Amino acid sequence: MLPSLTKTIALLWFSLCCMKNTVAQRQPVLDTAHVRNTLSGHIGNAINKCITNRLLAEQPGYLVAPFRKRTETSMWQSEFWGKWMLSMTAAYRYAPSPALKQKMEEAVKGLLDTQTPDGYIGNYADTAHLKQWDIWGRKYSMLGLIHYYNITKDNNALDAASRVADHLLTETGPGKINIVTTGNYRGMASSSILEPMVLLYKATGDKKYLDFANYIVAQWETTAGPQLISKALQKIPVAERFRSNNWWSWENGQKAYEMMSCYDGLLDLYLITQQPEQLEAVKAVAEHIMTREINIAGSGSAYECWYHGNAMQTQAAYHTMETCVTQTWMKLCFNLYRVTGDPIYADEIERSAYNALLCALTPDGASFAQYSPLEGYRYTGELQCNMNTSCCIANGPRGLLMLPSFAALTGKENTLYVNLYTNSYYTAKLANDKQVSIQQLTNYPVSDSIVLMVDADTDMTLALRIPSWSAVSSIRLNGQSMPSPVAGKYALIERRWKKGDRLCLKLDLEGRVVYNANYVAIMRGPVVLARDSRLEKGFPDDVALPMEKNGRIPLTPLTHDANRWMAFSAPFVRGIDLKNAGGVVQLPLTDFSSAGNDWDNRSRFRVWIPLPLDVKQIGAGKLKQ
């Protein structure tokens, strides 16, 4: 066994054995609890459609029905109730309504009616407990019940979640079946139940749940486990973790969604244990995923696994950009952002939201694609488990409904952090108990200007996120120019604020050229642009050379179309017939989320544009690689 692995296991076991009955919880750097947002504009409209046409359209009885049958041996129907409930509770926190409340009450009552005297909530046969997706499904039921308790304080829901956990503790744990040998993907699916175990400890104070959480993490580092901490600290690529030809199996350790779910739970545990290696492991794996796996649209995976996707994203791959991966990546970044305050994670969330998440959402907000390729056609994907839903249809709303909490957060010393630039109105309670209100007026990222109207009478630091791609930004306060903000940092404006203060932020939305091997893509702010056959009235796959200068390219807005959020043209030399091509043409491009949004084969799109080969440039060293 590697010395570093031995040391990690020893540290984890020491923390398990020496944990006191009460542990002071480290508070996140940034807080979501004291800000209330109402979003409008493009993001707000998408959220409202999703609440109405996806969440409220669901029938709770339909999701509960599988729990009444205890015959399952391999499938994952039991996750759908919990994922839907997580979105419902987020929707209720954002925009409470009697309709949402009634649906949630009906769903919780229906689920609790299926709980057996031993505490089990699930759909697996007695002989199949702990196999396949059994514990995974229990995890989502627990999460749904705990989040419902957090907004309603309904003790029946918390008690039911505790009983689910207590029953699991009779089946797996020290001296029983090892949790990492159960389920799928090196035990990552099963052991991601770490998250609700930590949340149960926070809600009840019962140390047995914390002990079990520490047990899970200790088992990760055994030879049977996925070794999530040691491999992260050793910087082992996620695409090379326990590679196996047996893809859909326990042996495969590359599964993206389940892996990130485990790291997300580890971050929750860190806030209690305060073990620095736990935070460092999550940060290390997130940095690796960000640089080696996440593609230009803010997501990753193929066949739902890591595959060195960033370097290979120009090559069309089967089943790429699973929406479950997009949502879980956004969630992991958000939790890391709250714990560290590092705006690099906020930039990632914005990119994922505007591209990978919105491209997966159907125009009516009623469904989500399972996979979202960077070229081809939009399609929703399969329905799963003999039900009229799928893992991604259930998970997609969670990504959208995270955005109101991400939009603005409070920090220490009366600081309000503004992350999401969209038409909105929000109120915040600062650390000094003063309340401030801000109305945000903007059409960003269509336009580059954001106006914030402040209503306050207090000393406050307003922290404006300046995205890392915004090379030249400017701020004016009440008509007066402020110091130029730095890209990738927060612009901190500390002063005594008063009603009527007007802040104007302008970001750099000039077109940016991104090269990858012998392909090129265009970005504008956080938005990826794409070719679309509807714009070009034909084939969008021919080669084209961008007329760029120093990595920038001029973009000319095109006439508005109801099918598109935004569209531009950019100068390219198109094709390889230089004599007859007519020189530079204006190539039309649309935002990636609008590309192909007929959701049929009438609109083919592509992000990565193939470059022509100019052999004259090889000797001069000017060929783009």
Side-chain angles (χ1 to χ4, degrees), residues 252-271:
N252 184 349
Q254 302 166 241
K255 193 67 158 59
Y257 172 19
E258 289 77 0
M259 183 188 293
M260 289 190 291
S261 297
C262 289
Y263 282 115
D264 211 21
L266 184 63
L267 199 57
D268 286 328
L269 183 62
Y270 159 75
L271 290 174

Side-chain angles (χ1 to χ4, degrees), residues 16-93:
L16 171 63
C17 295
C18 299
M19 192 68 63
K20 297 180 180 179
N21 286 333
T22 58
V23 180
Q25 180 186 348
R26 183 188 299 272
Q27 295 300 315
V29 172
L30 301 176
D31 185 15
T32 63
H34 300 295
V35 181
R36 292 291 176 266
N37 295 301
T38 301
L39 308 182
S40 53
H42 194 66
I43 289 287
N45 291 338
I47 292 173
N48 292 339
K49 287 181 181 179
C50 186
I51 291 174
T52 300
N53 297 330
R54 166 91 294 271
L55 299 182
L56 285 173
E58 189 62 84
Q59 298 302 314
Y62 180 74
L63 298 178
V64 170
F67 294 90
R68 303 187 189 281
K69 302 175 183 179
R70 302 291 177 86
T71 59
E72 187 56 66
T73 60
S74 64
M75 301 185 84
W76 54 95
Q77 301 96 326
S78 52
E79 74 170 34
F80 299 143
W81 183 95
K83 289 181 174 180
W84 175 77
M85 181 57 68
L86 288 170
S87 294
M88 289 289 285
T89 55
Y92 192 80
R93 283 193 299 270

Side-chain angles (χ1 to χ4, degrees), residues 377-449:
Y377 307 95
R378 298 275 178 238
Y379 60 98
T380 53
E382 65 181 0
L383 300 177
Q384 297 172 340
C385 304
N386 299 313
M387 295 184 70
N388 190 32
T389 189
S390 72
C391 57
C392 295
I393 293 173
N395 241 353
R398 297 174 64 196
L400 271 182
L401 285 157
M402 187 189 78
L403 297 177
S405 295
F406 168 70
L409 300 89
T410 55
K412 298 176 182 178
E413 299 178 356
N414 303 321
T415 303
L416 179 62
Y417 292 82
V418 178
N419 290 310
L420 188 63
Y421 299 120
T422 185
N423 269 4
S424 56
Y425 179 82
Y426 41 92
T427 59
K429 184 179 180 182
L430 302 176
N432 62 5
D433 289 332
K434 294 284 188 178
Q435 182 166 296
V436 301
S437 299
I438 295 181
Q439 183 176 14
Q440 193 176 150
L441 304 171
T442 182
N443 195 28
Y444 170 90
V446 177
S447 66
D448 59 3
S449 297

Side-chain angles (χ1 to χ4, degrees), residues 103-283:
K103 284 270 186 179
M104 289 190 297
E105 288 175 348
E106 179 185 348
V108 169
K109 182 180 184 303
L111 187 72
L112 296 193
D113 285 345
T114 72
Q115 189 166 33
T116 50
D118 62 4
Y120 181 70
I121 292 179
N123 66 333
Y124 270 62
D126 291 344
T127 56
H129 277 204
L130 309 184
K131 295 180 180 180
Q132 298 290 321
W133 300 100
D134 178 37
I135 300 179
W136 174 264
R138 300 191 216 185
K139 173 191 79 170
Y140 273 112
S141 294
M142 289 172 62
L143 284 172
L145 290 168
I146 293 167
H147 281 258
Y148 178 78
Y149 163 78
N150 286 340
I151 65 171
T152 65
K153 302 307 176 187
D154 182 345
N155 286 318
N156 291 325
L158 183 62
D159 178 65
S162 298
R163 292 174 61 208
V164 173
D166 294 344
H167 176 252
L168 179 64
L169 267 57
T170 68
E171 296 183 313
T172 179
K176 307 179 187 71
I177 295 175
N178 187 340
I179 194 167
V180 297
T181 65
T182 69
N184 295 294
Y185 308 111
R186 302 290 300 191
M188 291 188 296
S190 293
S191 61
S192 68
I193 204 167
L194 172 66
E195 180 184 359
M197 285 294 176
V198 174
L199 297 182
L200 265 184
Y201 171 69
K202 292 179 180 179
T204 67
D206 193 327
K207 185 174 176 290
K208 66 185 174 186
Y209 303 129
L210 180 61
D211 288 343
F212 191 74
N214 280 288
Y215 155 80
I216 290 172
V217 175
Q219 295 313 302
W220 284 351
E221 296 306 315
T222 63
T223 54
Q227 298 167 22
L228 295 173
I229 295 179
S230 55
K231 288 189 178 295
L233 295 177
Q234 294 166 15
K235 303 188 184 305
I236 304 298
V238 291
E240 297 174 15
R241 306 248 187 119
F242 303 102
R243 301 181 71 171
S244 171
N245 292 328
N246 193 4
W247 200 264
W248 311 110
S249 69
W250 180 86
E251 288 83 6
N252 184 349
Q254 302 166 241
K255 193 67 158 59
Y257 172 19
E258 289 77 0
M259 183 188 293
M260 289 190 291
S261 297
C262 289
Y263 282 115
D264 211 21
L266 184 63
L267 199 57
D268 286 328
L269 183 62
Y270 159 75
L271 290 174
I272 296 172
T273 66
Q274 302 179 27
Q275 296 291 323
E277 72 276 2
Q278 294 175 344
L279 175 60
E280 290 307 310
V282 182
K283 288 169 59 179

Side-chain angles (χ1 to χ4, degrees), residues 466-512:
I466 308 301
S468 56
W469 45 259
S470 186
V472 181
S473 309
S474 64
I475 299 175
R476 295 177 67 85
L477 175 60
N478 296 330
Q480 300 297 313
S481 295
M482 303 286 289
S484 297
V486 179
K489 304 288 185 182
Y490 280 98
L492 303 177
I493 306 172
E494 182 180 1
R495 69 189 298 271
R496 181 80 180 185
W497 294 86
K498 58 186 182 297
K499 182 178 177 64
D501 281 337
R502 178 186 175 95
L503 195 66
C504 298
L505 170 65
K506 189 171 184 178
L507 297 177
D508 183 355
L509 294 185
E510 188 177 3
R512 308 192 310 281

